[in-house]
Amino acid sequence: MSNIITAQNITKRFTEHTALDNVSVEIPTGSVYGLLGPNGAGKTTLIRVINRITVPDEGRILFEDKPITQQDIYRIGYLPEERGLYKKMKVGEHALFLARLKGLSRYEALVRLKEWFVRFGIEDWWNKRVEDLSKGMAQKIQFIVTVLHQPKLLIFDEPFSGFDPINANLLKEEILRLRDQGATVIFSTHNMSSVEEICDHITLINKSKNILSGRVDDIRRSHGNNIFAVQYRGEESAFAPLAELCHVLESDYDKISGLTSAKIHIEKNEDIRSVIAAVNEAVELRSFTEIIPSMNNIFIRAVEGSLNK
Amino acid sequence: MRNIGLIIMREFKERVYKKSFIITTLLMPLLMLALSAAPAVIMFFVRGETKAVSVIDQSGIVAPQLESGDDIQFVVIEDGDLQTELKKSLESEEFGVLFIGSDIVENPNNIQLYTNQSSSMLIEEAIAGQVEEIIEAERLKALNVGDLKRILEQVEVNINLSTFRNGAEQSEATSSAASSFVGIALGFVLYFFLVVYGSIVMQSIIEEKNSRILEVLVSTVRPFDMMMGKILGVASVALTQIAIWGVLLIVISAAVIPAVMPDDILAGVEAVRAGADAAAMVPDMDIEAIAALSSIMDTGYISQIVLLLLLFMMGGFLLYAAMYAAIGASVDQVQDAQQLTTPVMIPIIFAFIILTMVMNDPNSPLVVWCSMIPFTAPIVMMGRIPSGIPTWEVVTSLVLLYATFIVMVWLAGKIYRVGIFMHGKKPTFKELYKWIRY
């Protein structure tokens, strides 16, 4: 799978600080790519560099393996974090204006807009004034306009901020639907649960540096600490003979069901299969699962880890 | 280019289709008329109250001849004593006491006005005028030449100098009064447009910056295009307004004035247009006024002025709008813009002051220089053009103006590009300089 965007050694300095310090990112075509990082880490700057809004001091951006040009911008849909609309305009007229700026003809824009308005069930907003829309309503319009010209690459900066859970869900579904139709999606967020749900790849940026990059599954697995959750019939003491093989971190016996749930740590060099076999010998095993750390934990650990360095 | 067009269209629609635009465009000329007529109307309806002045005349010559009018009521006090009258006067509500010395005819300075309230130039002049006339008449009488007053009146001459432009195809009547009036009026219109439409550009950029619509636009539209679209969009609105007013003016000069003017004045105008000889034949009429009227009724002259006005207005507007755009992009609030707009306002106000000097001499070195310097040229040129200046001066001034505009737009574009993403702090001039270098 080739990369739709390759950022090579991007450095961007502002007068008082460095926003991006030698950041390289590869965004595979067809992926949903999460850009994570604490506030002020440089996510928005990276997005602006990819968008050609900001010119990097060093490094370059490749769009489908060629240096990005102004023409490529028409194949990108960008929803900025801070987004506004002209308050005095009518919704339909405004959407048309933005759509035409993206290179659509008036007729094409009109047809596609009508489709989207029907899909979101907001046909009757067409002649409303923008100032009469709630924040969430305005967000929907902005979303529609962002994806209207069917860009190959979609960039959402903090798309979920300001959305209520219902609309956030709608947005998630639309993002996945767009990916299924062949678009690549980049989004920046603090919302870790959404990362686990919809991202295939992530990059974690902290203090202007790329500190963690890769597939979400791989990252979570590689950050696993060999901790497993075990559930078996019997009391806690039944586990005592296994002390050599593994270390019980915590365990809890439930009298009513007669089940014990425990968290155990297995040394890296131990063979998992033989541990399972041994446990299976000793107790009536109900479940044995690896506890994979959540992105949230990885995020916090990575950020703190980079602080300590 | 397509995007600039779309932005201009949006800007134009948003402003011109508004009711307030239509109303102001139609009401503005009426308002201007009303404003220029207002002082006369107020004078007519609101008379100052009559001021009572006690007169102590030791000579006995002046007091009987003083005439009370609507403004001043003279109360002659026979054999009055100044000190007691002054005391009495303080307690009454009268304006004051006029003391005339006994040797007033020989020594005209022996006259004093003691006022109980703050004095006024008008009253002082009215009193002095009357007293002067009375003393003059007394002195003439003393010379003992019969009928001297009538002889003096016959000798008096009043000259109306008609001026003609030498070298024009036919010696065309010009009126410096009309020229300078038209010039000042145009200069004022331009001043108004620079300030009003310039700050519209600034304010709407600040607004767009705060509503974060710029963030949405910036991915597809280059910042420079965004700024140019904004400037040209607002310019197209201003142009529309000017065009509507221009058409109104031409209609008035071509149709309305001939219809309402009395025939003899129109004949005078025709005569003035025909040339010097015919003009000399028009007796007994205010040549100056007729020449002025002739200029205003000359549709060709008006169209030419309107065309030049548009050229200078566009140039001046684009130049100043670029500066206003840069300021708008670099601040978050209109209040913060105050400090930055000062250097923009200064040349505009300076040009306006120079404009008033154009009235005295449209070709003085200072005025000519200021009509070449791009920052003052648009306004000052408005004052000079109606009185007729060499074409090369107009062309040079225009070329300089548009060249400066291009440089200014380039600079403003650099500030704009950085400024629209800067939030929450007020930039200094030093920082703006940094943004340009950036």
Side-chain angles (χ1 to χ4, degrees), chain A residues 33-37 42-44 46-47 78-81 83 154-161 185-192 194-195 199 203 205:
Chain A
Y33 201 100
L35 275 181
L36 318 180
K43 286 171 294 181
T44 300
L46 180 59
I47 285 176
Y78 170 47
L79 183 68
E81 177 181 7
R83 44 204 174 233
L154 286 160
I155 304 178
F156 300 114
D157 200 351
E158 295 289 347
F160 301 109
S161 71
V185 181
I186 303 176
F187 70 91
S188 80
T189 186
H190 306 294
N191 183 336
M192 290 303 148
S194 67
V195 171
C199 285
T203 279
I205 296 176

Side-chain angles (χ1 to χ4, degrees), chain B residues 38-50:
Chain B
V41 174
I42 292 171
M43 288 285 272
F44 184 78
F45 285 108
V46 189
R47 280 281 165 81
E49 54 183 315
T50 310

Side-chain angles (χ1 to χ4, degrees), chain A residues 27-236:
Chain A
I27 295 164
T29 309
S31 63
V32 175
Y33 201 100
L35 275 181
L36 318 180
N39 291 326
K43 286 171 294 181
T44 300
T45 308
L46 180 59
I47 285 176
R48 283 184 182 160
V49 169
I50 293 174
N51 257 321
R52 280 176 63 93
I53 293 171
T54 310
V55 185
D57 298 328
E58 285 159 36
R60 58 177 189 163
I61 301 287
L62 304 181
F63 188 91
E64 295 185 328
D65 302 326
K66 281 183 240 72
I68 193 164
T69 64
Q70 189 64 30
Q71 279 311 306
D72 294 324
I73 294 303
Y74 291 106
R75 301 199 290 172
I76 299 180
Y78 170 47
L79 183 68
E81 177 181 7
E82 304 268 12
R83 44 204 174 233
L85 297 168
Y86 287 110
K87 292 195 181 65
K88 299 282 172 203
M89 282 180 92
K90 295 224 170 97
V91 172
E93 214 178 305
H94 200 316
L96 261 181
F97 167 67
L98 291 174
R100 291 179 71 194
L101 281 181
K102 301 235 162 87
L104 292 180
S105 73
R106 196 189 150 79
Y107 175 75
E108 223 180 335
L110 206 59
V111 170
R112 290 195 198 174
L113 277 174
K114 293 278 182 200
E115 251 176 57
W116 274 97
F117 272 55
V118 171
R119 185 206 297 281
F120 279 5
I122 55 175
E123 302 101 299
D124 52 333
W125 290 5
W126 191 268
N127 279 321
K128 266 193 190 174
R129 269 172 186 264
V130 170
E131 59 191 343
D132 297 331
L133 299 184
S134 70
K135 194 179 175 196
M137 290 159 107
Q139 303 250 33
K140 274 189 187 169
I141 305 291
Q142 281 150 343
F143 178 80
I144 291 174
V145 176
T146 308
V147 304
L148 193 73
H149 58 302
Q150 297 174 342
K152 294 188 76 168
L153 175 62
L154 286 160
I155 304 178
F156 300 114
D157 200 351
E158 295 289 347
F160 301 109
S161 71
F163 270 102
D164 61 48
I166 293 170
N167 279 321
N169 236 358
L170 184 74
L171 190 66
K172 265 181 217 165
E173 279 164 22
E174 286 300 333
I175 288 176
L176 292 176
R177 202 178 62 83
L178 288 163
R179 183 202 53 191
D180 294 343
Q181 287 177 354
T184 308
V185 181
I186 303 176
F187 70 91
S188 80
T189 186
H190 306 294
N191 183 336
M192 290 303 148
S193 67
S194 67
V195 171
E196 277 161 34
E197 274 172 61
I198 62 178
C199 285
D200 317 318
H201 293 71
I202 60 130
T203 279
L204 178 52
I205 296 176
N206 188 41
K207 295 207 155 179
S208 324
K209 289 195 170 74
N210 178 351
I211 56 172
L212 185 64
S213 241
R215 289 176 54 84
V216 172
D217 293 347
D218 296 348
I219 288 175
R220 288 182 64 187
R221 217 164 286 284
S222 69
H223 277 74
N225 292 340
N226 273 18
I227 295 173
F228 294 82
V230 184
Q231 198 178 50
Y232 56 89
R233 181 167 294 283
E235 294 195 11
E236 291 169 33

